Amino acid sequence: MKTYLRVPFAEKDEAKRLGARWDPAKKLWYVQNVPNLAAFERWLPAQGDLVEAAAKPAPAVRTKAAQVQTGPRYFELHCDCQPWVGCAACGPVVEARGWRAPA
Ligand SMILES: [Zn+2]
């Protein structure tokens, strides 16, 4: 397992002396299969530094299709009838909201 290190340029020789190797593709120093990272501790990236992008959960997707579209005159009708049929109980309520009763 590779452990990448944040080695300042001024300390690269010391890191190399301790066994760190250079990854030219990533442009980072690393150590591989080191049982004890104590000697490299000061160069270890902070928790969540290099792994941040991979560990971050994807943001919740908010699509237009997931939203309930309502008009400005929308309201909840708490009645068991079909709102487009209407009944004696909710008819007046619906009309009071500006909706015309079915002809
Ligand atoms: Zn009703």
Side-chain angles (χ1 to χ4, degrees):
M1 182 196 145
K2 275 184 180 181
T3 304
Y4 286 95
L5 307 168
R6 303 213 125 172
V7 182
F9 185 76
E11 296 172 15
K12 67 176 176 56
D13 289 335
E14 194 182 347
K16 194 175 176 181
R17 187 174 55 79
L18 288 168
R21 277 181 260 178
W22 177 247
D23 184 328
K26 286 190 191 290
K27 299 195 194 312
L28 286 170
W29 289 91
Y30 69 92
V31 285
Q32 196 157 19
N33 300 323
V34 175
N36 187 359
L37 288 166
F40 303 95
E41 196 172 1
R42 62 182 153 137
W43 297 314
L44 290 176
Q47 196 68 38
D49 195 353
L50 291 178
V51 292
E52 190 180 14
K56 233 179 216 173
V61 178
R62 296 188 72 123
T63 64
K64 208 163 173 69
Q67 295 170 11
V68 177
Q69 301 290 323
T70 58
R73 286 160 66 199
Y74 172 85
F75 69 99
E76 291 278 351
L77 181 62
H78 301 286
C79 189
D80 289 333
C81 74
Q82 301 294 336
W84 54 89
V85 176
C87 72
C90 65
V93 177
V94 174
E95 280 184 63
R97 292 281 188 151
W99 296 93
R100 213 172 299 152

